[in-house]
């Protein structure tokens, strides 16, 4: 009996820490999406140009700065810089799709992205499944997809582009489930890192859906 209460207290403290990380993560995620959407709107308004692979240089810089400062206030500054940059550089794609096919594709992609995120997050939060075993597979898969995307930037093969978009869609969906599982099982205790993982995954799903839907409508 003497061990019962300390164990209960430990479990309660762990649950409270998990709840705090979840609240902070989802709160910051909502704010970064709002900021990213504003930056995307500004990019569309000023006709921000497509800069190709140069987009990656600030992205990786902001990503590194965010991770380096995730335990202090500067981490918040850099996570907004990262997500704002992704929103701004998304503007050329949004403008092109809207000009050629109208905004319906964007709304479909946005709705699909929301459904995927809430369905996967809800499933993991409800079932409490431990998906830590997926980490290595997802990391390798996303690396392969990323390298293939860079290669196809030069090759410009339509079929390969669709395959890469499908890979990012599936792998990023897996990342959402994996990251949510990591939070509730104590594998991720930093809400800034968790927010970045979820934001980039949702961003990749949104872009992939735009590309896939656009290709389907274009046929």
């Amino acid at each position: 009996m003497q061990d019962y209460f300390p164990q209960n207290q430990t479990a309660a403290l762990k649950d409270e820490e998990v709840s705090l990380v979840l609240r902070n993560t989802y709160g910051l995620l909502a704010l970064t999406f709002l900021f990213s959407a504003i930056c995307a709107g500004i990019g569309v308004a000023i006709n921000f140009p497509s800069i190709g692979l140069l987009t990656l240089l600030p992205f990786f810089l902001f990503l590194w700065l965010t991770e380096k400062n995730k335990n202090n206030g500067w981490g918040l500054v850099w996570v907004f810089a990262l997500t704002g940059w992704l929103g701004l550089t998304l503007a050329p794609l949004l403008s092109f799709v809207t000009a050629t096919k109208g905004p319906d594709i964007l709304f479909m992609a946005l709705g699909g992205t929301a459904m995927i995120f809430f369905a996967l997050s809800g499933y993991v939060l409800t079932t409490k499944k431990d998906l830590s075993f997926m980490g290595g597979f997802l990391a390798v898969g996303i690396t392969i997809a990323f390298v293939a995307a860079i290669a196809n930037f030069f090759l410009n093969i339509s079929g390969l582009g669709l395959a890469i978009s499908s890979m990012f869609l599936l792998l990023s969906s897996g990342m959402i489930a994996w990251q949510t599982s990591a939070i509730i099982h104590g594998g991720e205790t930093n809400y800034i890192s968790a927010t970045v993982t979820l934001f980039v995954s949702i961003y990749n799903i949104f872009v992939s859906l735009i590309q896939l839907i656009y290709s389907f409508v274009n046929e």
Side-chain angles (χ1 to χ4, degrees), residues 9-194:
Q9 286 182 334
T10 301
L13 286 173
K14 181 180 178 182
D15 289 342
E16 186 176 339
E17 290 173 359
V18 168
S19 296
L20 180 61
V21 175
L22 280 173
R23 287 197 303 270
N24 288 341
T25 298
Y26 289 143
L28 182 58
L29 189 63
L31 290 175
T32 52
F33 268 112
L34 176 61
F35 183 66
S36 186
I38 292 172
C39 290
I42 293 173
V44 171
I46 66 174
N47 198 25
F48 188 81
S50 175
I51 55 177
L53 293 180
L54 291 178
T55 302
L56 298 176
L57 297 179
F59 170 74
F60 282 118
L61 175 61
F62 293 148
L63 189 64
W64 178 76
L65 288 169
T66 301
E67 184 63 21
K68 182 178 176 62
N69 294 280
K70 65 182 181 181
N71 293 313
N72 61 62
W74 279 103
L76 292 173
V77 174
W78 294 119
V79 77
F80 277 100
L82 170 67
T83 55
W85 174 251
L86 287 176
L88 182 65
T89 54
L90 186 61
L93 176 62
L94 301 181
S95 297
F96 172 76
V97 172
T98 302
T100 56
K101 294 295 179 181
D104 288 351
I105 290 177
L106 303 183
F107 291 131
M108 290 172 64
L110 186 61
T113 302
M115 287 178 61
I116 291 171
F117 173 71
F118 287 116
L120 290 172
S121 299
Y123 171 76
V124 176
L125 290 172
T126 301
T127 63
K128 309 293 185 183
K129 282 191 175 293
D130 185 357
L131 303 178
S132 57
F133 66 92
M134 295 173 56
F137 166 77
L138 292 171
V140 172
I142 287 179
T143 300
I144 293 172
F146 180 73
V147 172
I150 292 177
N152 199 48
F153 179 81
F154 299 101
L155 298 174
N156 196 26
I157 301 174
S158 177
L160 179 58
L162 293 179
I164 293 170
S165 294
S166 299
M167 286 179 64
F168 271 113
L169 176 62
L170 293 174
L171 292 167
S172 296
S173 297
M175 285 295 292
I176 290 174
W178 172 81
Q179 182 63 89
T180 306
S181 175
I183 294 173
I184 65 176
H185 289 286
E188 178 60 84
T189 59
N190 188 284
Y191 71 97
I192 291 179
S193 291

